[in-house]
């Protein structure tokens, strides 16, 4: 299948590692030009090197900026060229008791997880509408509906994203612009792998045993009963970014291994 992404320019927030990096790689493999993002130039340089090794003819650049700092976001936005595909991927969380989560922590997660996409979309969506082509893809989480007790603030941000995304899709009526949300479930990023390795060492178990226990004891509703790979998540996001996904707009597409349940 030719995803028709040659010549398109994509910007992916939080993309020096994890799902964002896998999306960058996948879009580059399909011939898109990609701008990645992270908080430090060194991290971006390292990610660009790895992307160029994986995709030798990759046209990839980076823009530094932390989405927890409004001034840095303004500077970042001022550097953006015309963007055809915006992937609002950056996300942060803190596993902690609701009672111990401070106002500042609620606002920190809201700033990074929700306002990053709000600010970028406010700048880029009008330009996409004028160009009569564009893709905005928000990255939510299964936590939006599962709402684990130790992730109430994070889950709130991931539910908020669904409303923002659907609301922005209303602004695309009659155009070739779409706004959708991808909803990953538990995904084996470098961070998740490190977490599993640490737990395995602490409990004197193998990585496989720890992973099996996570799905039998914690994420019991998962039908997949394993972590998705970052590539599995990236493939769906890459499809949503392509001209082939033109009839999908205002949608929330699950990549959750069935954990969220429901028939829609
Ligand atoms: N992993 C999962 O199981 C899972 C499940 C469901 C949903 N999600 C969602 O998927 C998205 C990606 O998650 P992930 O697990 O792949 O993330 P991750 O591995 O933690 O990604 C880290 C990336 O985000 C960048 N980053 C972190 N904070 C940043 C900030 N304030 N400003 C700019 N960049 C920042 C990091 O760059 P530097 O370190 O270079 O600054 C790095 O590129 C998130 O929205 C997350 O909520 C993840």
């Amino acid at each position: 299948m030719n995803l028709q992404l040659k010549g398109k320019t994509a910007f992916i927030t939080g993309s020096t590692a994890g799902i964002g990096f896998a999306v960058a790689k996948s879009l580059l493999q399909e011939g898109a030009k990609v701008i990645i993002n992270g908080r430090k130039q060194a991290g971006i340089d390292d990610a660009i090197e790895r992307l160029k090794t994986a995709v030798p003819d990759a046209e990839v650049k980076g823009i530094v900026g932390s989405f927890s700092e409004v001034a840095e976001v303004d500077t970042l936005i001022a550097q953006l060229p015309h963007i055809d595909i915006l992937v609002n991927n950056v996300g942060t969380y803190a596993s902690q008791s609701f009672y111990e989560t401070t106002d500042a922590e609620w606002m920190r997660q809201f700033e990074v997880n929700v306002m990053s996409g709000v600010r970028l979309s406010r700048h880029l969506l009008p330009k996409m509408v004028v160009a009569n082509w564009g893709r905005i893809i928000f990255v939510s989480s299964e936590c939006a509906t599962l709402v684990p007790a130790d992730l109430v603030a994070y889950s709130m941000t991931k539910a908020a994203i669904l409303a923002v995304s659907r609301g922005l899709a209303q602004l695309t009526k009659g155009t070739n612009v779409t706004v959708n949300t991808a909803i990953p479930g538990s995904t084996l990023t470098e961070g998740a792998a490190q977490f599993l390795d640490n737990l395995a060492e602490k409990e004197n178990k193998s990585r496989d045993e720890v992973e099996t226990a996570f799905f039998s004891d914690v994420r019991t509703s998962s039908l997949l009963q394993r972590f998705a790979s970052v590539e599995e998540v990236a493939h769906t996001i890459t499809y949503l970014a392509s001209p082939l996904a033109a009839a999908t707009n205002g949608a929330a597409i699950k990549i959750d291994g069935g954990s969220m349940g429901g028939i829609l």
Side-chain angles (χ1 to χ4, degrees), residues 14-19 39 65-67 89 91 139-140 154 158 184-185 187 189:
S15 43
T16 63
I19 292 169
R39 290 163 293 187
S66 171
F67 284 94
N89 168 75
V139 180
S140 176
Y154 173 73
K158 293 297 172 179
T187 306
T189 58

Side-chain angles (χ1 to χ4, degrees), residues 14-38:
S15 43
T16 63
I19 292 169
F21 181 85
V23 173
K25 189 161 105 182
S26 173
L27 287 170
L28 287 166
Q29 282 165 339
E30 292 299 321
K33 298 171 195 164
V34 170
I35 302 171
I36 61 167
N37 157 257

Side-chain angles (χ1 to χ4, degrees), residues 186-245:
S186 303
T187 306
L188 198 58
T189 58
E190 297 90 329
Q194 188 65 57
F195 172 78
L196 291 175
D197 286 343
N198 292 345
L199 198 61
E201 195 180 325
K202 195 172 141 203
E203 297 185 353
N204 201 21
K205 290 180 179 162
S206 70
R207 157 94 85 86
D208 282 354
E209 285 171 324
V210 170
E211 183 171 346
T212 302
F214 176 78
F215 288 99
S216 61
D217 303 344
V218 181
R219 197 59 82 244
T220 53
S221 60
S222 167
L223 304 179
L224 190 61
Q225 287 290 299
R226 65 165 173 81
F227 284 82
S229 69
V230 288
E231 288 80 14
E232 285 167 333
V233 174
H235 290 153
T236 302
I237 293 175
T238 303
Y239 167 71
L240 286 173
S242 92
L244 271 57

Side-chain angles (χ1 to χ4, degrees), residues 50-231:
R50 284 181 287 130
L51 287 167
K52 284 190 168 163
T53 303
V55 189
D57 56 350
E59 284 192 60
V60 54
K61 293 192 278 200
I63 302 183
V64 185
S66 171
F67 284 94
S68 57
E69 304 295 332
V70 185
E72 287 190 33
V73 180
D74 289 342
T75 307
L76 180 154
I77 286 175
Q79 295 172 67
L80 285 174
H82 180 79
I83 298 296
D84 303 295
I85 298 160
L86 167 64
V87 184
N88 289 315
N89 168 75
V90 70
T92 185
Y93 70 95
S95 169
Q96 60 187 178
S97 151
F98 168 76
Y99 299 109
E100 285 163 13
T101 307
T102 61
D103 288 6
E105 180 57 28
W106 276 84
M107 297 315 292
R108 185 189 73 81
Q109 292 187 45
F110 189 79
E111 187 76 30
V112 175
N113 297 1
V114 182
M115 291 311 295
S116 55
V118 167
R119 293 188 178 116
L120 285 163
S121 302
R122 193 164 51 208
H123 178 74
L124 294 174
L125 181 56
K127 297 178 194 338
M128 291 179 181
V129 169
V130 168
N132 196 24
W133 201 89
R135 295 281 181 267
I136 298 182
I137 298 148
F138 285 83
V139 180
S140 176
S141 163
E142 62 184 355
C143 292
T145 63
L146 297 181
V147 197
D150 63 329
L151 293 170
V152 179
Y154 173 73
S155 303
M156 174 278 295
T157 67
K158 293 297 172 179
I161 282 169
L162 292 166
V164 174
S165 173
R166 177 66 214 187
L168 298 190
Q170 320 281 27
L171 304 177
T172 67
K173 199 168 185 176
T175 75
N176 295 311
V177 181
T178 67
V179 184
N180 293 292
T181 301
I183 315 183
S186 303
T187 306
L188 198 58
T189 58
E190 297 90 329
Q194 188 65 57
F195 172 78
L196 291 175
D197 286 343
N198 292 345
L199 198 61
E201 195 180 325
K202 195 172 141 203
E203 297 185 353
N204 201 21
K205 290 180 179 162
S206 70
R207 157 94 85 86
D208 282 354
E209 285 171 324
V210 170
E211 183 171 346
T212 302
F214 176 78
F215 288 99
S216 61
D217 303 344
V218 181
R219 197 59 82 244
T220 53
S221 60
S222 167
L223 304 179
L224 190 61
Q225 287 290 299
R226 65 165 173 81
F227 284 82
S229 69
V230 288
E231 288 80 14

